[in-house]
Amino acid sequence: MPPTSILLIDDHALFRSGMRLVLLAGMANVEVLEAASLEQAVRTVTSPPALVLLDIQLQGVNGLEGLGLFKQRWPGVPLVMLSSAAEPETIRLALSRGAAAFVSKADTAEKIIKVIEQVLSGGLPDASAGMAHNTSANATPRPRLTPRQCEVLDLLCEGLSNKVIARRLELSEFTVRGHVQAVLGLLGVSSRSQVMFAARRSGLIG
């Protein structure tokens, strides 16, 4: 039986090493793939893993912005978000953008392993289920975009391509794709053609 492959994306080498040891010690027949950034993960991992462990605070495209990219690249692969900050708003954003679960880096190894095993078996951890429920019940009417996302939104509304946006903002196309996916997710739309209407409806543009 082939090993269960878990892709761990975190820009701290020491944390990756520790997390790798936790996974190997706590789970049977597991293979841990590592990447320091979303760009490296996309470049080096060609086959879909069984699960992605994705840190929120990354250099370049962060984990929240990268969620949409991974959902497009590997639609059936569950993502578990990792963060040292476990504020309700951060958890809500991660789950609303498609994360299967959220774990804090301050959690015990046993708890992290339990969440991963639940997700791999197709279950939804209780904490995530509760947070997902609260998200739908208490959804804020106006999306909260970062300053960079606002810049990308303005250029999207001008009908510019990712390549042109990247040139205007002096960013890589990969980074722009991450921002675009984040904006689409925050606006609750699935295509660029719907962005302007959704942005006006949300009061983000006039």
Side-chain angles (χ1 to χ4, degrees):
M1 183 176 175
T4 300
S5 61
I6 294 177
L7 172 58
L8 170 61
I9 306 173
D10 192 288
D11 55 4
H12 289 89
L14 190 59
F15 176 81
R16 289 200 312 273
S17 298
M19 193 70 235
R20 183 174 184 275
L21 291 175
V22 165
L23 295 171
L24 292 175
M27 300 178 67
N29 196 29
V30 67
E31 174 191 26
V32 181
L33 311 172
E34 296 181 34
S37 65
L38 288 163
E39 291 90 342
Q40 184 184 7
V42 169
R43 189 172 63 249
T44 59
V45 181
T46 55
S47 300
L51 180 140
V52 176
L53 268 176
L54 180 59
D55 184 27
I56 286 183
Q57 298 298 330
L58 293 171
Q59 298 296 322
V61 180
N62 70 35
L64 284 174
E65 292 164 342
L67 268 168
L69 293 174
F70 275 116
K71 299 302 282 186
Q72 278 193 335
R73 183 178 176 84
W74 297 320
V77 175
L79 292 103
V80 175
M81 297 300 296
L82 282 167
S83 179
S84 53
E87 290 86 1
E89 177 67 9
T90 303
I91 299 173
R92 186 193 70 78
L93 280 173
L95 297 174
S96 68
R97 294 186 191 182
F102 184 103
V103 293
S104 169
K105 290 183 178 181
D107 287 338
T108 63
E110 290 77 11
K111 182 175 179 180
I112 293 174
I113 292 293
K114 182 180 179 181
V115 169
I116 291 171
E117 289 178 337
Q118 282 182 292
V119 172
L120 284 171
S121 65
L124 183 67
D126 292 341
S128 295
M131 183 59 69
H133 174 75
N134 290 337
T135 296
S136 60
N138 303 316
T140 53
R142 185 183 179 116
R144 294 172 58 184
L145 275 64
T146 65
R148 180 64 83 186
Q149 288 168 352
C150 289
E151 290 178 324
V152 170
L153 173 61
D154 288 342
L155 296 176
L156 277 175
C157 290
E158 291 180 26
L160 303 183
S161 67
N162 286 356
K163 182 177 288 188
V164 175
I165 293 174
R167 194 160 56 240
R168 286 272 190 98
L169 300 180
E170 297 182 348
L171 300 171
S172 71
E173 281 191 62
F174 184 91
T175 299
V176 169
R177 281 202 303 274
H179 288 313
V180 169
Q181 287 302 317
V183 169
L184 293 180
L186 285 166
L187 293 176
V189 298
S190 57
S191 69
R192 300 165 75 102
S193 61
Q194 300 170 302
V195 164
M196 184 177 291
F197 173 77
R200 280 183 176 151
R201 184 183 59 202
S202 300
L204 294 172
I205 61 173

mmCIF file of all heavy atoms in Angstrom, residues 144-185:
data_model
loop_
_atom_site.group_PDB
_atom_site.id
_atom_site.type_symbol
_atom_site.label_atom_id
_atom_site.label_comp_id
_atom_site.label_asym_id
_atom_site.label_seq_id
_atom_site.Cartn_x
_atom_site.Cartn_y
_atom_site.Cartn_z
ATOM 1 N N ARG A 144 -13.746 42.361 3.582
ATOM 2 C CA ARG A 144 -12.594 43.130 4.062
ATOM 3 C C ARG A 144 -11.382 42.764 3.206
ATOM 4 O O ARG A 144 -10.828 41.683 3.322
ATOM 5 C CB ARG A 144 -12.337 42.822 5.532
ATOM 6 C CG ARG A 144 -13.460 43.312 6.435
ATOM 7 C CD ARG A 144 -13.298 42.830 7.857
ATOM 8 N NE ARG A 144 -12.024 43.256 8.441
ATOM 9 C CZ ARG A 144 -11.626 42.898 9.651
ATOM 10 N NH1 ARG A 144 -12.378 42.124 10.384
ATOM 11 N NH2 ARG A 144 -10.476 43.320 10.121
ATOM 12 N N LEU A 145 -10.985 43.686 2.342
ATOM 13 C CA LEU A 145 -9.847 43.463 1.456
ATOM 14 C C LEU A 145 -8.613 44.165 2.004
ATOM 15 O O LEU A 145 -8.719 45.227 2.610
ATOM 16 C CB LEU A 145 -10.147 43.982 0.044
ATOM 17 C CG LEU A 145 -10.885 43.045 -0.917
ATOM 18 C CD1 LEU A 145 -12.279 42.742 -0.407
ATOM 19 C CD2 LEU A 145 -10.939 43.657 -2.320
ATOM 20 N N THR A 146 -7.453 43.571 1.759
ATOM 21 C CA THR A 146 -6.203 44.223 2.115
ATOM 22 C C THR A 146 -5.948 45.353 1.114
ATOM 23 O O THR A 146 -6.552 45.386 0.028
ATOM 24 C CB THR A 146 -5.036 43.233 2.062
ATOM 25 O OG1 THR A 146 -4.844 42.803 0.694
ATOM 26 C CG2 THR A 146 -5.308 42.006 2.939
ATOM 27 N N PRO A 147 -5.053 46.290 1.439
ATOM 28 C CA PRO A 147 -4.732 47.356 0.476
ATOM 29 C C PRO A 147 -4.295 46.814 -0.882
ATOM 30 O O PRO A 147 -4.687 47.343 -1.925
ATOM 31 C CB PRO A 147 -3.606 48.124 1.171
ATOM 32 C CG PRO A 147 -3.869 47.934 2.636
ATOM 33 C CD PRO A 147 -4.389 46.526 2.736
ATOM 34 N N ARG A 148 -3.486 45.742 -0.886
ATOM 35 C CA ARG A 148 -3.040 45.161 -2.148
ATOM 36 C C ARG A 148 -4.202 44.554 -2.921
ATOM 37 O O ARG A 148 -4.310 44.697 -4.142
ATOM 38 C CB ARG A 148 -1.961 44.100 -1.891
ATOM 39 C CG ARG A 148 -1.443 43.445 -3.161
ATOM 40 C CD ARG A 148 -0.726 44.442 -4.056
ATOM 41 N NE ARG A 148 0.651 44.634 -3.650
ATOM 42 C CZ ARG A 148 1.474 45.533 -4.182
ATOM 43 N NH1 ARG A 148 1.034 46.345 -5.138
ATOM 44 N NH2 ARG A 148 2.724 45.646 -3.760
ATOM 45 N N GLN A 149 -5.114 43.899 -2.212
ATOM 46 C CA GLN A 149 -6.281 43.314 -2.873
ATOM 47 C C GLN A 149 -7.163 44.402 -3.464
ATOM 48 O O GLN A 149 -7.765 44.218 -4.529
ATOM 49 C CB GLN A 149 -7.070 42.455 -1.886
ATOM 50 C CG GLN A 149 -6.386 41.141 -1.523
ATOM 51 C CD GLN A 149 -7.027 40.448 -0.331
ATOM 52 O OE1 GLN A 149 -7.897 41.002 0.329
ATOM 53 N NE2 GLN A 149 -6.580 39.236 -0.045
ATOM 54 N N CYS A 150 -7.235 45.545 -2.799
ATOM 55 C CA CYS A 150 -8.008 46.672 -3.334
ATOM 56 C C CYS A 150 -7.392 47.179 -4.640
ATOM 57 O O CYS A 150 -8.111 47.517 -5.595
ATOM 58 C CB CYS A 150 -8.077 47.811 -2.312
ATOM 59 S SG CYS A 150 -9.127 47.470 -0.890
ATOM 60 N N GLU A 151 -6.061 47.216 -4.688
ATOM 61 C CA GLU A 151 -5.383 47.621 -5.923
ATOM 62 C C GLU A 151 -5.695 46.640 -7.043
ATOM 63 O O GLU A 151 -5.975 47.032 -8.186
ATOM 64 C CB GLU A 151 -3.865 47.680 -5.689
ATOM 65 C CG GLU A 151 -3.414 48.814 -4.792
ATOM 66 C CD GLU A 151 -1.915 48.792 -4.557
ATOM 67 O OE1 GLU A 151 -1.320 47.702 -4.460
ATOM 68 O OE2 GLU A 151 -1.320 49.879 -4.490
ATOM 69 N N VAL A 152 -5.630 45.349 -6.727
ATOM 70 C CA VAL A 152 -5.918 44.321 -7.731
ATOM 71 C C VAL A 152 -7.369 44.423 -8.183
ATOM 72 O O VAL A 152 -7.674 44.306 -9.377
ATOM 73 C CB VAL A 152 -5.608 42.916 -7.165
ATOM 74 C CG1 VAL A 152 -6.131 41.824 -8.105
ATOM 75 C CG2 VAL A 152 -4.112 42.742 -6.935
ATOM 76 N N LEU A 153 -8.283 44.650 -7.239
ATOM 77 C CA LEU A 153 -9.703 44.790 -7.588
ATOM 78 C C LEU A 153 -9.920 45.941 -8.559
ATOM 79 O O LEU A 153 -10.652 45.797 -9.552
ATOM 80 C CB LEU A 153 -10.526 45.011 -6.311
ATOM 81 C CG LEU A 153 -12.014 45.335 -6.511
ATOM 82 C CD1 LEU A 153 -12.721 44.187 -7.222
ATOM 83 C CD2 LEU A 153 -12.682 45.619 -5.167
ATOM 84 N N ASP A 154 -9.302 47.090 -8.282
ATOM 85 C CA ASP A 154 -9.445 48.237 -9.181
ATOM 86 C C ASP A 154 -9.003 47.893 -10.602
ATOM 87 O O ASP A 154 -9.665 48.252 -11.585
ATOM 88 C CB ASP A 154 -8.626 49.423 -8.663
ATOM 89 C CG ASP A 154 -9.239 50.059 -7.421
ATOM 90 O OD1 ASP A 154 -10.439 49.823 -7.168
ATOM 91 O OD2 ASP A 154 -8.510 50.761 -6.693
ATOM 92 N N LEU A 155 -7.880 47.176 -10.710
ATOM 93 C CA LEU A 155 -7.353 46.831 -12.030
ATOM 94 C C LEU A 155 -8.195 45.745 -12.695
ATOM 95 O O LEU A 155 -8.348 45.732 -13.924
ATOM 96 C CB LEU A 155 -5.891 46.392 -11.908
ATOM 97 C CG LEU A 155 -4.940 47.493 -11.405
ATOM 98 C CD1 LEU A 155 -3.526 46.953 -11.216
ATOM 99 C CD2 LEU A 155 -4.929 48.681 -12.348
ATOM 100 N N LEU A 156 -8.759 44.848 -11.891
ATOM 101 C CA LEU A 156 -9.674 43.843 -12.441
ATOM 102 C C LEU A 156 -10.899 44.521 -13.052
ATOM 103 O O LEU A 156 -11.389 44.122 -14.112
ATOM 104 C CB LEU A 156 -10.126 42.877 -11.340
ATOM 105 C CG LEU A 156 -9.218 41.707 -10.978
ATOM 106 C CD1 LEU A 156 -9.795 40.953 -9.784
ATOM 107 C CD2 LEU A 156 -9.037 40.754 -12.157
ATOM 108 N N CYS A 157 -11.377 45.543 -12.346
ATOM 109 C CA CYS A 157 -12.558 46.264 -12.831
ATOM 110 C C CYS A 157 -12.263 47.048 -14.103
ATOM 111 O O CYS A 157 -13.189 47.438 -14.823
ATOM 112 C CB CYS A 157 -13.098 47.193 -11.741
ATOM 113 S SG CYS A 157 -13.857 46.306 -10.348
ATOM 114 N N GLU A 158 -10.985 47.285 -14.369
ATOM 115 C CA GLU A 158 -10.592 47.915 -15.634
ATOM 116 C C GLU A 158 -10.488 46.888 -16.754
ATOM 117 O O GLU A 158 -10.224 47.237 -17.902
ATOM 118 C CB GLU A 158 -9.244 48.630 -15.478
ATOM 119 C CG GLU A 158 -9.291 49.869 -14.596
ATOM 120 C CD GLU A 158 -7.931 50.543 -14.487
ATOM 121 O OE1 GLU A 158 -7.106 50.382 -15.425
ATOM 122 O OE2 GLU A 158 -7.686 51.229 -13.475
ATOM 123 N N GLY A 159 -10.655 45.615 -16.395
ATOM 124 C CA GLY A 159 -10.608 44.552 -17.389
ATOM 125 C C GLY A 159 -9.208 44.104 -17.754
ATOM 126 O O GLY A 159 -9.001 43.475 -18.799
ATOM 127 N N LEU A 160 -8.230 44.391 -16.897
ATOM 128 C CA LEU A 160 -6.843 44.051 -17.208
ATOM 129 C C LEU A 160 -6.547 42.581 -16.922
ATOM 130 O O LEU A 160 -7.128 41.972 -16.016
ATOM 131 C CB LEU A 160 -5.883 44.936 -16.397
ATOM 132 C CG LEU A 160 -6.043 46.449 -16.578
ATOM 133 C CD1 LEU A 160 -4.989 47.192 -15.784
ATOM 134 C CD2 LEU A 160 -5.955 46.816 -18.055
ATOM 135 N N SER A 161 -5.625 42.021 -17.693
ATOM 136 C CA SER A 161 -5.213 40.630 -17.503
ATOM 137 C C SER A 161 -4.243 40.514 -16.340
ATOM 138 O O SER A 161 -3.688 41.516 -15.869
ATOM 139 C CB SER A 161 -4.530 40.108 -18.773
ATOM 140 O OG SER A 161 -3.289 40.792 -18.967
ATOM 141 N N ASN A 162 -4.027 39.285 -15.878
ATOM 142 C CA ASN A 162 -3.061 39.066 -14.788
ATOM 143 C C ASN A 162 -1.676 39.569 -15.170
ATOM 144 O O ASN A 162 -0.958 40.117 -14.332
ATOM 145 C CB ASN A 162 -2.987 37.573 -14.441
ATOM 146 C CG ASN A 162 -4.203 37.097 -13.674
ATOM 147 O OD1 ASN A 162 -5.073 37.880 -13.330
ATOM 148 N ND2 ASN A 162 -4.274 35.811 -13.415
ATOM 149 N N LYS A 163 -1.306 39.383 -16.430
ATOM 150 C CA LYS A 163 0.026 39.791 -16.870
ATOM 151 C C LYS A 163 0.180 41.307 -16.769
ATOM 152 O O LYS A 163 1.207 41.805 -16.289
ATOM 153 C CB LYS A 163 0.263 39.338 -18.313
ATOM 154 C CG LYS A 163 1.646 39.688 -18.844
ATOM 155 C CD LYS A 163 1.853 39.160 -20.259
ATOM 156 C CE LYS A 163 2.018 37.664 -20.262
ATOM 157 N NZ LYS A 163 2.409 37.124 -21.589
ATOM 158 N N VAL A 164 -0.842 42.031 -17.192
ATOM 159 C CA VAL A 164 -0.779 43.498 -17.145
ATOM 160 C C VAL A 164 -0.824 43.984 -15.693
ATOM 161 O O VAL A 164 -0.107 44.911 -15.306
ATOM 162 C CB VAL A 164 -1.929 44.113 -17.964
ATOM 163 C CG1 VAL A 164 -1.933 45.631 -17.817
ATOM 164 C CG2 VAL A 164 -1.796 43.727 -19.429
ATOM 165 N N ILE A 165 -1.666 43.348 -14.880
ATOM 166 C CA ILE A 165 -1.746 43.718 -13.463
ATOM 167 C C ILE A 165 -0.392 43.492 -12.792
ATOM 168 O O ILE A 165 0.077 44.323 -12.004
ATOM 169 C CB ILE A 165 -2.841 42.904 -12.745
ATOM 170 C CG1 ILE A 165 -4.224 43.301 -13.266
ATOM 171 C CG2 ILE A 165 -2.774 43.124 -11.235
ATOM 172 C CD1 ILE A 165 -5.360 42.447 -12.733
ATOM 173 N N ALA A 166 0.246 42.363 -13.104
ATOM 174 C CA ALA A 166 1.559 42.061 -12.526
ATOM 175 C C ALA A 166 2.568 43.134 -12.899
ATOM 176 O O ALA A 166 3.376 43.571 -12.066
ATOM 177 C CB ALA A 166 2.027 40.689 -13.019
ATOM 178 N N ARG A 167 2.506 43.588 -14.153
ATOM 179 C CA ARG A 167 3.443 44.619 -14.604
ATOM 180 C C ARG A 167 3.146 45.956 -13.918
ATOM 181 O O ARG A 167 4.066 46.651 -13.481
ATOM 182 C CB ARG A 167 3.340 44.761 -16.129
ATOM 183 C CG ARG A 167 4.483 45.543 -16.757
ATOM 184 C CD ARG A 167 4.634 45.264 -18.231
ATOM 185 N NE ARG A 167 3.417 45.529 -18.978
ATOM 186 C CZ ARG A 167 2.747 44.622 -19.693
ATOM 187 N NH1 ARG A 167 3.169 43.375 -19.739
ATOM 188 N NH2 ARG A 167 1.643 44.942 -20.346
ATOM 189 N N ARG A 168 1.870 46.300 -13.792
ATOM 190 C CA ARG A 168 1.484 47.567 -13.154
ATOM 191 C C ARG A 168 1.939 47.599 -11.690
ATOM 192 O O ARG A 168 2.417 48.633 -11.204
ATOM 193 C CB ARG A 168 -0.032 47.729 -13.197
ATOM 194 C CG ARG A 168 -0.598 48.084 -14.551
ATOM 195 C CD ARG A 168 -0.632 49.581 -14.791
ATOM 196 N NE ARG A 168 -1.399 49.881 -15.985
ATOM 197 C CZ ARG A 168 -2.680 50.255 -15.965
ATOM 198 N NH1 ARG A 168 -3.311 50.375 -14.817
ATOM 199 N NH2 ARG A 168 -3.308 50.527 -17.089
ATOM 200 N N LEU A 169 1.747 46.478 -10.978
ATOM 201 C CA LEU A 169 2.035 46.445 -9.542
ATOM 202 C C LEU A 169 3.429 45.928 -9.220
ATOM 203 O O LEU A 169 3.802 45.808 -8.048
ATOM 204 C CB LEU A 169 0.990 45.585 -8.822
ATOM 205 C CG LEU A 169 -0.469 46.040 -8.949
ATOM 206 C CD1 LEU A 169 -1.392 45.103 -8.196
ATOM 207 C CD2 LEU A 169 -0.631 47.470 -8.434
ATOM 208 N N GLU A 170 4.180 45.594 -10.279
ATOM 209 C CA GLU A 170 5.544 45.070 -10.118
ATOM 210 C C GLU A 170 5.547 43.806 -9.237
ATOM 211 O O GLU A 170 6.316 43.675 -8.289
ATOM 212 C CB GLU A 170 6.473 46.145 -9.527
ATOM 213 C CG GLU A 170 6.617 47.361 -10.438
ATOM 214 C CD GLU A 170 7.580 48.396 -9.882
ATOM 215 O OE1 GLU A 170 7.956 48.279 -8.704
ATOM 216 O OE2 GLU A 170 7.973 49.308 -10.637
ATOM 217 N N LEU A 171 4.651 42.881 -9.576
ATOM 218 C CA LEU A 171 4.545 41.600 -8.883
ATOM 219 C C LEU A 171 4.700 40.481 -9.892
ATOM 220 O O LEU A 171 4.621 40.689 -11.106
ATOM 221 C CB LEU A 171 3.167 41.470 -8.209
ATOM 222 C CG LEU A 171 2.788 42.515 -7.160
ATOM 223 C CD1 LEU A 171 1.316 42.351 -6.777
ATOM 224 C CD2 LEU A 171 3.668 42.368 -5.926
ATOM 225 N N SER A 172 4.909 39.253 -9.415
ATOM 226 C CA SER A 172 4.939 38.101 -10.322
ATOM 227 C C SER A 172 3.501 37.734 -10.690
ATOM 228 O O SER A 172 2.559 38.033 -9.947
ATOM 229 C CB SER A 172 5.623 36.909 -9.649
ATOM 230 O OG SER A 172 4.801 36.368 -8.630
ATOM 231 N N GLU A 173 3.331 37.075 -11.838
ATOM 232 C CA GLU A 173 1.995 36.640 -12.236
ATOM 233 C C GLU A 173 1.424 35.646 -11.232
ATOM 234 O O GLU A 173 0.219 35.610 -10.981
ATOM 235 C CB GLU A 173 2.030 36.019 -13.633
ATOM 236 C CG GLU A 173 2.081 37.041 -14.755
ATOM 237 C CD GLU A 173 1.842 36.413 -16.112
ATOM 238 O OE1 GLU A 173 0.747 35.856 -16.330
ATOM 239 O OE2 GLU A 173 2.781 36.436 -16.936
ATOM 240 N N PHE A 174 2.286 34.817 -10.650
ATOM 241 C CA PHE A 174 1.831 33.847 -9.656
ATOM 242 C C PHE A 174 1.217 34.575 -8.459
ATOM 243 O O PHE A 174 0.147 34.205 -7.963
ATOM 244 C CB PHE A 174 2.997 32.972 -9.193
ATOM 245 C CG PHE A 174 2.596 31.883 -8.225
ATOM 246 C CD1 PHE A 174 2.239 30.629 -8.678
ATOM 247 C CD2 PHE A 174 2.579 32.132 -6.857
ATOM 248 C CE1 PHE A 174 1.853 29.633 -7.791
ATOM 249 C CE2 PHE A 174 2.202 31.141 -5.959
ATOM 250 C CZ PHE A 174 1.845 29.893 -6.434
ATOM 251 N N THR A 175 1.895 35.623 -7.987
ATOM 252 C CA THR A 175 1.380 36.394 -6.853
ATOM 253 C C THR A 175 0.057 37.056 -7.210
ATOM 254 O O THR A 175 -0.888 37.067 -6.408
ATOM 255 C CB THR A 175 2.405 37.456 -6.424
ATOM 256 O OG1 THR A 175 3.606 36.800 -6.009
ATOM 257 C CG2 THR A 175 1.879 38.305 -5.282
ATOM 258 N N VAL A 176 -0.037 37.593 -8.417
ATOM 259 C CA VAL A 176 -1.284 38.231 -8.857
ATOM 260 C C VAL A 176 -2.412 37.210 -8.908
ATOM 261 O O VAL A 176 -3.543 37.496 -8.486
ATOM 262 C CB VAL A 176 -1.096 38.906 -10.232
ATOM 263 C CG1 VAL A 176 -2.449 39.330 -10.816
ATOM 264 C CG2 VAL A 176 -0.187 40.121 -10.107
ATOM 265 N N ARG A 177 -2.130 35.995 -9.413
ATOM 266 C CA ARG A 177 -3.167 34.956 -9.446
ATOM 267 C C ARG A 177 -3.698 34.680 -8.047
ATOM 268 O O ARG A 177 -4.900 34.482 -7.846
ATOM 269 C CB ARG A 177 -2.617 33.662 -10.063
ATOM 270 C CG ARG A 177 -2.539 33.672 -11.573
ATOM 271 C CD ARG A 177 -2.514 32.266 -12.128
ATOM 272 N NE ARG A 177 -1.414 31.463 -11.605
ATOM 273 C CZ ARG A 177 -0.192 31.446 -12.109
ATOM 274 N NH1 ARG A 177 0.110 32.218 -13.135
ATOM 275 N NH2 ARG A 177 0.737 30.662 -11.589
ATOM 276 N N GLY A 178 -2.795 34.651 -7.064
ATOM 277 C CA GLY A 178 -3.219 34.445 -5.681
ATOM 278 C C GLY A 178 -4.135 35.556 -5.193
ATOM 279 O O GLY A 178 -5.171 35.296 -4.566
ATOM 280 N N HIS A 179 -3.764 36.805 -5.495
ATOM 281 C CA HIS A 179 -4.593 37.941 -5.089
ATOM 282 C C HIS A 179 -5.959 37.908 -5.788
ATOM 283 O O HIS A 179 -6.989 38.196 -5.175
ATOM 284 C CB HIS A 179 -3.888 39.258 -5.418
ATOM 285 C CG HIS A 179 -2.719 39.567 -4.525
ATOM 286 N ND1 HIS A 179 -2.774 39.463 -3.149
ATOM 287 C CD2 HIS A 179 -1.457 39.983 -4.804
ATOM 288 C CE1 HIS A 179 -1.618 39.809 -2.625
ATOM 289 N NE2 HIS A 179 -0.791 40.116 -3.614
ATOM 290 N N VAL A 180 -5.952 37.555 -7.072
ATOM 291 C CA VAL A 180 -7.211 37.490 -7.826
ATOM 292 C C VAL A 180 -8.137 36.436 -7.225
ATOM 293 O O VAL A 180 -9.328 36.678 -7.021
ATOM 294 C CB VAL A 180 -6.946 37.196 -9.322
ATOM 295 C CG1 VAL A 180 -8.253 36.865 -10.042
ATOM 296 C CG2 VAL A 180 -6.270 38.390 -9.984
ATOM 297 N N GLN A 181 -7.584 35.259 -6.927
ATOM 298 C CA GLN A 181 -8.400 34.200 -6.323
ATOM 299 C C GLN A 181 -8.953 34.637 -4.974
ATOM 300 O O GLN A 181 -10.100 34.334 -4.622
ATOM 301 C CB GLN A 181 -7.574 32.921 -6.166
ATOM 302 C CG GLN A 181 -7.295 32.197 -7.474
ATOM 303 C CD GLN A 181 -8.569 31.806 -8.204
ATOM 304 O OE1 GLN A 181 -9.507 31.329 -7.601
ATOM 305 N NE2 GLN A 181 -8.592 32.005 -9.504
ATOM 306 N N ALA A 182 -8.139 35.358 -4.203
ATOM 307 C CA ALA A 182 -8.588 35.841 -2.898
ATOM 308 C C ALA A 182 -9.738 36.835 -3.056
ATOM 309 O O ALA A 182 -10.727 36.792 -2.322
ATOM 310 C CB ALA A 182 -7.429 36.481 -2.137
ATOM 311 N N VAL A 183 -9.613 37.743 -4.030
ATOM 312 C CA VAL A 183 -10.659 38.729 -4.274
ATOM 313 C C VAL A 183 -11.952 38.045 -4.712
ATOM 314 O O VAL A 183 -13.050 38.368 -4.229
ATOM 315 C CB VAL A 183 -10.198 39.758 -5.338
ATOM 316 C CG1 VAL A 183 -11.368 40.626 -5.788
ATOM 317 C CG2 VAL A 183 -9.079 40.634 -4.778
ATOM 318 N N LEU A 184 -11.842 37.079 -5.626
ATOM 319 C CA LEU A 184 -13.025 36.347 -6.082
ATOM 320 C C LEU A 184 -13.710 35.656 -4.909
ATOM 321 O O LEU A 184 -14.935 35.669 -4.776
ATOM 322 C CB LEU A 184 -12.646 35.308 -7.147
ATOM 323 C CG LEU A 184 -12.136 35.829 -8.492
ATOM 324 C CD1 LEU A 184 -11.798 34.667 -9.417
ATOM 325 C CD2 LEU A 184 -13.145 36.741 -9.151
ATOM 326 N N GLY A 185 -12.880 35.041 -4.038
ATOM 327 C CA GLY A 185 -13.436 34.347 -2.883
ATOM 328 C C GLY A 185 -14.133 35.289 -1.920
ATOM 329 O O GLY A 185 -15.223 34.996 -1.416
#
